[in-house]
């Protein structure tokens, strides 16, 4: 790779926002997970009432975790970034 221009690297780092704190990320993740788990519990309740609770949790997390990680959390993080950017202006 060719060497980077230090001015360009400095300009990029000056523009790049700091990542959210661990507490903000935890809150955003909870905001994503809680409604998904709640809806998921209602969705599987009619056919999983007789299941072992561990199996119910396993099936629920098989759906909720990927949906949260790949869809909901990134959207919430983008929204949080937009909110932070609008407040700093």
């Amino acid at each position: 790779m060719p060497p980077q221009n230090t001015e360009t690297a400095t300009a990029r780092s000056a523009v790049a926002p700091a990542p959210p704190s661990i507490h903000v990320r935890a809150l955003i993740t909870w905001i994503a997970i809680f409604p998904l788990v709640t809806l998921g519990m209602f969705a599987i309740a009619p056919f999983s009432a007789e299941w072992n609770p561990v199996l119910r949790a396993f099936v629920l997390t098989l759906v909720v975790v990927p949906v949260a990680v790949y869809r909901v959390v990134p959207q919430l993080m983008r929204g949080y970034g937009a909110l932070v950017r609008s407040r700093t202006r």
Side-chain angles (χ1 to χ4, degrees):
M1 276 202 297
Q4 276 191 328
N5 181 347
T6 55
E7 290 177 24
T8 305
T10 304
R12 278 191 210 138
S13 65
V15 174
S21 73
I22 190 83
H23 306 296
V24 170
R25 287 182 294 184
L27 179 63
I28 288 172
T29 302
W30 183 84
I31 289 169
I33 294 288
F34 179 74
L36 291 173
V37 168
T38 303
L39 292 172
M41 286 172 57
F42 283 117
I44 69 170
F47 58 87
S48 69
E50 304 291 320
W51 295 3
N52 181 306
V54 175
L55 178 60
R56 246 183 293 162
F58 177 74
V59 170
L60 187 59
T61 58
L62 276 177
V63 175
V64 167
V65 171
V67 169
V69 168
Y70 294 112
R71 295 286 180 169
V72 179
V73 171
Q75 289 290 350
L76 291 172
M77 291 296 270
R78 277 193 282 282
Y80 175 77
L83 179 67
V84 168
R85 283 189 302 277
S86 72
R87 284 187 171 182
T88 58
R89 290 182 186 168

